[in-house]
Amino acid sequence: MTETAVIFIDDDADIRRVMAQSLALDDMPVQCFADGASALAGIHGEFEGVVLCDYNMPGMNGLAVLEKVHEIDDTIPVVILTGQGDISTAVSAMQKGAYDFIEKPFDHDELLELLRHALEKRQLALENRRLKAQLKHLAKPGPRLLGDSAAMQRVLATIDPLLETSANILLRGETGAGKDAIARYIHENSPRRQQNYVAINCGAVPENLIESELFGHEAGAFTGAERRRIGKFEHAHGGTLFLDEVESMPLALQVKILRVLEERKLERLGSNTPVDVDVRVIAATKVDLKQLSDSGEFRADLYYRLNVVQVDIPALRERKEDIPLLFHHFALIAAARYDRESVPLTASQASRLMQYDWPGNVRELRNLAERYVLLGVLAFEDSGVTMPGSAAAHQTLGDMVDAFERSAIISALNANRGSIKDTMAQLRVARKTLYDKMKKHGLDKAEFRD
């Protein structure tokens, strides 16, 4: 274990010291606190351990701690230490939802067994919660966002409550981090999915054309405008408009965008007739838009209109545990597109992917996966480093399933530095199952240790 397994609360310093030493010797990391208030500051809904708390303490006693912990998450097990023969305290604790109680003086082995059972219950509760969230995610129509890393889970936790709304969203992330994929995910999992998803890169359209691109024009509005043209806003009516590189939008145009967002109406170039538009806007930027608005380079009023909710997209180097899974996904897509095979990565190749910094983010990883399928080599764009691949016959469905399974196990072993116990927890498989699959795929946990 590397995370705190037990939070121990007792106002007696000698008892805290003994408890810390004894639990540490049993590979059960513990944090000790002299009072409930300081202990509660470190407890959150994702805390994976248990709380062991003395009942008789000045200020906040054990029952008060129990109530506060359950306000945070009522599935966190709380074990109460009670005085010998204090039956009424024990009954009260159990009635209020304590996992169990143990009398002082206690038998160390008995306490250890109790804590282990409590930890198992906590892990099961968290696993059920994650499975429910995963099932909810997988049951949604449309595209998926791949990645089990904490960084991607935070992104999903931010955007999932917004899917059923029409709130404008500002996506911020480096070039290639996947802002368009996330915008599409939001649209395809929203009530607007039956209508158009329209994307425009504000930095790729010449300044003299972008107004017409966004708002459309009437015939004769300017030289070359031979017929009426519907703009992006109007084409996205009822759906979603994705404004990529929104920081590149000319200031003069920002005023008109703001008016459309406020009034929900637009006028095509060359027309005085307003047109109603119902559009959800998802804007994306690779810079600090607030800083630009503070310096006058971007309109502050438009910034606040766009930034109802900001979602920060992690760079690939901040979610490296997702790399093998993403690589395998992109390789399978490329293999299907080019009628080639997708040869599974070796442990050393997967390790090399994890060590690379990915300045081009997910886009660079996708390009590398395509080159790997086409050329059989791993060639990193900015370093000139090339790793040989291997050739084999065209893969069957069974081959592809095995390759995905191998890649997922490699990813988990890498993320957990070869720890079988942590890998079992991440993949949610039994120890024997994991060992059997590792043997099948020729994987040795020693290859993944630092």
Side-chain angles (χ1 to χ4, degrees), residues 278-296:
D278 171 21
V279 174
R280 179 189 208 164
V281 174
I282 301 176
T285 179
K286 58 180 180 291
V287 301
D288 187 339
L289 213 56
K290 177 65 166 63
Q291 190 175 32
L292 289 185
S293 70
D294 290 342
S295 64

Side-chain angles (χ1 to χ4, degrees), residues 61-91:
N61 67 15
L63 290 184
V65 170
L66 170 66
E67 291 176 359
K68 291 294 184 182
V69 170
H70 282 184
E71 286 176 10
I72 298 169
D73 185 342
D74 60 6
T75 67
I76 296 175
V78 179
V79 178
I80 302 293
L81 289 173
T82 66
Q84 191 171 19
D86 193 353
I87 300 300
S88 61
T89 298
V91 170

Side-chain angles (χ1 to χ4, degrees), residues 221-262:
F222 51 84
T223 303
E226 298 179 355
R227 64 184 68 183
R228 172 187 287 179
R229 185 177 187 279
I230 300 300
K232 302 295 187 186
F233 263 102
E234 210 169 336
H235 188 50
H237 178 69
T240 303
L241 177 64
F242 177 54
L243 300 176
D244 198 7
E245 295 190 23
V246 70
E247 72 275 7
S248 304
M249 188 180 295
L251 282 169
L253 185 61
Q254 292 177 28
V255 180
K256 298 180 180 181
I257 295 287
L258 178 64
R259 187 178 302 123
V260 172
L261 295 180
E262 289 179 340

Side-chain angles (χ1 to χ4, degrees), residues 130-141:
R130 290 172 190 139
L131 282 172
K132 286 179 181 178
Q134 189 176 42
L135 287 172
K136 181 181 178 183
H137 173 60
L138 293 174
K140 291 174 182 174

